[in-house]
Amino acid sequence: MLAATLSRCIRGAAMWHFFFEWYYGRVGLILAVFLLCYGLERLAPAAPLHSVRSMTLNCICGLFYFAGEALSIVFMASFFDRVPWHGIVSLFPSDRGSLALALGFTATWIVMKDFFGYWYHRLQHGSKWLWAVHMLHHSDEHLNVTTTVRHCWLEKPIQFVFVMFPLFLLFRPPVITVPVA
């Protein structure tokens, strides 16, 4: 019993370490792309320059949006770590080290995620409750690169419920072999 608890704690600590490395790397990459696109918008504006206040609001909304995403990922990982099965249907065998199979499985998984995401987005525009959460994204009067992260902080957790939960409950994610040096 003690060994199992200790093993779970170590695995949990490793998960948190990996998560924060991945998350900060992702936020850093997004920030670099934002700065590049902002520079391009300044050099060749498609419309009059946007207010600093609006762009600041967009970025603050984006930080809360990413925090909601981070909490959702941690919750999903914790939830599915405790569930003895992952998915009713296993569409994917192991890739057996084949790059072509790994790419094919990954592409299929992305298409299935996009399918659920598309219907979730349609539901956001059709449901009064989900629209109340989603309309912040559509409320920016002057589109710019920062508009892409102008979302309510609840949008990602709700998206995980409508997209990732059904996806993980119905299908097992592909097993991809990743060589580590």
Side-chain angles (χ1 to χ4, degrees):
M1 180 73 167
L2 179 63
T5 304
L6 185 60
S7 172
R8 184 175 289 271
C9 288
I10 291 170
R11 199 171 66 225
M15 180 184 79
W16 278 101
H17 178 73
F18 168 77
F19 169 74
F20 282 114
E21 274 189 10
W22 167 81
Y23 190 71
Y24 287 129
R26 182 167 182 239
V27 170
L29 178 64
I30 290 170
L31 181 61
V33 170
F34 268 28
L35 290 175
L36 174 69
C37 291
Y38 178 71
L40 292 173
E41 283 181 348
R42 297 287 295 192
L43 289 174
L49 292 179
H50 322 291
S51 73
V52 174
R53 183 177 181 194
S54 172
M55 292 176 70
T56 304
L57 173 65
N58 291 350
C59 291
I60 290 170
C61 288
L63 290 175
F64 282 105
Y65 175 70
F66 289 128
E69 179 183 41
L71 292 173
S72 300
I73 291 169
V74 170
F75 175 76
M76 287 273 301
S78 299
F79 176 79
F80 283 107
D81 186 44
R82 288 170 174 63
V83 175
W85 54 270
H86 298 274
I88 297 169
V89 179
S90 178
L91 299 177
F92 310 103
S94 170
D95 67 353
R96 296 183 199 86
S98 166
L99 179 61
L101 279 175
L103 292 175
F105 293 158
T106 302
T108 304
W109 183 256
I110 289 170
V111 167
M112 290 190 321
K113 183 180 176 293
D114 198 45
F115 173 80
F116 281 93
Y118 167 78
W119 285 106
Y120 166 66
H121 192 243
R122 293 275 311 256
L123 185 61
Q124 282 181 307
H125 286 259
S127 162
K128 288 181 182 180
W129 184 76
L130 291 175
W131 176 248
V133 173
H134 183 63
M135 72 182 206
L136 176 65
H137 175 66
H138 291 280
S139 66
D140 199 358
E141 294 178 5
H142 304 287
L143 298 179
N144 61 63
V145 69
T146 63
T147 306
T148 60
V149 293
R150 185 183 178 119
H151 292 280
C152 177
W153 69 274
L154 284 173
E155 193 150 338
K156 267 301 183 187
I158 295 170
Q159 181 184 10
F160 271 78
V161 169
F162 283 94
V163 175
M164 297 309 289
F165 271 145
L167 198 58
F168 276 106
L169 290 174
L170 292 173
F171 306 105
R172 290 187 190 130
V175 177
I176 306 291
T177 306
V178 178
V180 178

